[in-house]
Amino acid sequence: MKKLKNMWLVFITVMALSVLGACSNEEGKQEKVEPAQAEETAVTIENNDTTQVYEEAPTKAISLNQHVTEIMLALGLEDSMVGTAYLDDEIYEPLQEAYAKVPVLAEQYPTKEQVIDAEADFLYAGWKSGFSEKGIGTVEELKALGIHTYLHTSSSINNPTLEDIFTDIRNIAKIFRVEDRGEALIEQMASDVEAVRAKLPEQAEPLRVLVYDSGEQDVFTAAQNFMNELVTIAGGQNVFGDVESGWTTVSKEDAVERDPQVIVVIDYGSTTAEEKIAFLKNDPALKEMDAVLNERFVILPLSAASEGVRAAEAIKILAEGFYPESF
C-alpha cells in the first residue's frame, strides 16, 4: 500500500511539473509577442528633415514657444510636460489652469543644461531658432542626447494655411497617442472659422489691409506668412501678400502707395499697440494712408497671429474689425 501511495505521489508531481512547464511556455510565447506588438504601435514622423520613431509616447516634454505650448495644453498634455518657455503675452485664457501645472523654465529659450536636468525626452519648437546653436541646440545634438524634437512645420514655411496647422496638430496628437483629442480640436477650430465666414458680407473687392508689426524708419510687415491667411479668411487682402517672404521690411513710400483701408497692429513687447497707433497718426508720410485718416485700426495679439489654436479667434477679431456692421 505504501508503495502505491509513493507511485501516486510521483505521478502527481510529474503532472504538476508538466502543467507548470506548459504555463511557462505560454508565458514565454507572450513575451516573444510583445516586441512585435510594440513595433506595430511605434509612431514614425517625418519632420525638420529627420525621421523620428516613437516607440512610446513622450512623458517629459518641453514646449519652447507660446503657440506650440497652447497646442500641447489644448490637447490635454500638461501631465506629459516637464517644462515650457518663451511667452509672447498672456497664455490663452481657456488654457491658463492647465498652464499653471507646468514649470516655466525660462523667459526665453532654456539652456541645454536645463533641458538635461529636466530629463526631457521631447522638445517642441514653434520657430526654427529653437533648434539652432543660438537656441537649445541642433536637432543632431539633441538626438545624440536621446531627445526627440519636433519643429512646428506651419511656422516654418511660406504661406501656411489652416490645413498646415491641422497637420501639425495631428502629428502631435499621434506622437502622444491622443488622436481623438486632435481630431476633436481640429473639428472645433474649423467649425468656429466657418461661423465667422458665414457672417462676412458679400462684396466685389476685399478691404486692403496692412499688417503693422513695428518700424519707424521703415515698416516691418507681413507678406506670405500666416497673417496672409488670417487676413484673407477674414475678408481682407494683404497689401504686401505678393512679396515672397514671411515677415518683411518695406519702405514707407511703398506702404503709402498701396494705401491700405485697414491697419492690423500686432500687439506684443514693450511698445504697446496704442503707442504704435500714435506713431502711425503722427508720422508725416504714414498718416496720409486711408486707414490712418479714417482711424481704421485692428489690434491683434502676436500669440493669436501665430500658427496655433487661436486661429479662429484671430479671424473673428479681424473680421469684426474689418466689417463691424456684420457682427
Side-chain angles (χ1 to χ4, degrees):
M1 180 66 72
K2 185 175 180 181
K3 185 176 180 180
L4 184 61
K5 287 181 179 178
N6 287 339
M7 290 177 65
W8 273 106
L9 182 59
V10 171
F11 177 74
I12 292 169
T13 302
V14 170
M15 290 298 293
L17 289 172
S18 298
V19 172
L20 288 173
C23 291
S24 177
N25 287 338
E26 288 301 315
E27 290 174 358
K29 290 178 183 177
Q30 291 291 335
E31 290 175 359
K32 290 178 182 178
V33 172
E34 283 177 4
Q37 291 175 340
E39 188 175 335
E40 287 176 2
T41 59
V43 170
T44 300
I45 300 291
E46 302 289 338
N47 177 255
N48 199 20
D49 297 325
T50 68
T51 300
Q52 304 271 340
V53 179
Y54 298 83
E55 298 293 344
E56 56 187 5
T59 58
K60 296 184 176 181
I62 297 175
S63 56
L64 301 175
N65 300 99
Q66 180 166 343
H67 60 300
V68 298
T69 295
E70 292 181 348
I71 286 176
M72 291 285 287
L73 299 178
L75 290 172
L77 296 172
E78 60 270 18
D79 291 338
S80 299
M81 299 174 69
V82 294
T84 184
Y86 228 135
L87 281 189
D88 297 312
D89 48 46
E90 291 262 337
I91 205 77
Y92 193 28
E93 195 277 330
L95 303 174
Q96 288 179 4
E97 184 176 344
Y99 178 74
K101 298 178 182 179
V102 184
V104 178
L105 301 181
E107 288 187 7
Q108 296 185 2
Y109 290 129
T111 64
K112 191 180 297 181
E113 289 71 24
Q114 287 176 303
V115 169
I116 294 171
D117 287 345
E119 300 180 348
D121 57 4
F122 179 80
L123 296 180
Y124 185 9
W127 311 111
K128 290 181 180 179
S129 57
F131 298 139
S132 67
E133 293 179 357
K134 294 182 179 180
I136 310 298
T138 66
V139 170
E140 292 75 20
E141 290 171 341
L142 294 165
K143 182 179 180 180
L145 294 171
I147 302 173
H148 286 289
T149 56
Y150 187 91
L151 175 64
H152 202 55
T153 303
S154 53
S155 295
S156 309
I157 58 176
N158 273 5
N159 269 333
T161 66
L162 278 174
E163 285 300 323
D164 293 317
I165 297 176
F166 294 162
T167 296
D168 279 319
I169 291 173
R170 285 192 177 98
N171 283 342
I172 297 301
K174 187 176 180 182
I175 289 168
F176 285 86
R177 278 65 166 181
V178 291
E179 289 94 333
D180 288 349
R181 298 183 203 172
E183 291 306 317
L185 176 58
I186 289 168
E187 184 178 340
Q188 184 61 59
M189 290 174 65
S191 175
D192 291 344
V193 170
E194 286 307 312
V196 175
R197 276 177 160 159
K199 294 183 178 181
L200 291 174
E202 293 184 7
Q203 57 181 34
E205 295 290 336
L207 289 172
R208 299 186 306 276
V209 178
L210 169 70
V211 178
Y212 179 73
D213 177 283
S214 56
E216 295 188 359
Q217 300 304 315
D218 295 298
V219 175
F220 190 56
T221 186
Q224 293 179 2
N225 62 20
F226 190 50
M227 279 303 307
N228 200 47
E229 170 89 336
L230 295 176
V231 167
T232 301
I233 294 175
Q237 178 186 15
N238 177 11
V239 294
F240 288 103
D242 60 329
V243 177
E244 294 184 3
S245 180
W247 292 97
T248 190
T249 299
V250 300
S251 68
K252 292 179 182 179
E253 291 74 19
D254 281 345
V256 172
E257 183 178 348
R258 301 201 182 196
D259 198 23
Q261 296 165 286
V262 182
I263 296 176
V264 176
V265 178
I266 304 299
D267 189 14
Y268 70 98
S270 57
T271 303
T272 67
E274 290 73 20
E275 289 172 332
K276 291 179 182 180
I277 291 172
F279 166 74
L280 292 169
K281 287 182 175 181
N282 289 289
D283 184 84
L286 299 177
K287 70 179 183 180
E288 298 303 321
M289 293 187 294
D290 185 281
V292 180
L293 292 172
N294 292 296
E295 299 195 15
R296 295 289 306 278
F297 302 104
V298 181
I299 298 174
L300 186 69
L302 177 60
S303 53
S306 301
E307 298 82 359
V309 297
R310 299 200 205 186
E313 179 190 57
I315 291 167
K316 187 171 186 291
I317 291 171
L318 295 177
E320 288 177 343
F322 296 171
Y323 306 102
E325 66 282 355
S326 299
F327 290 86

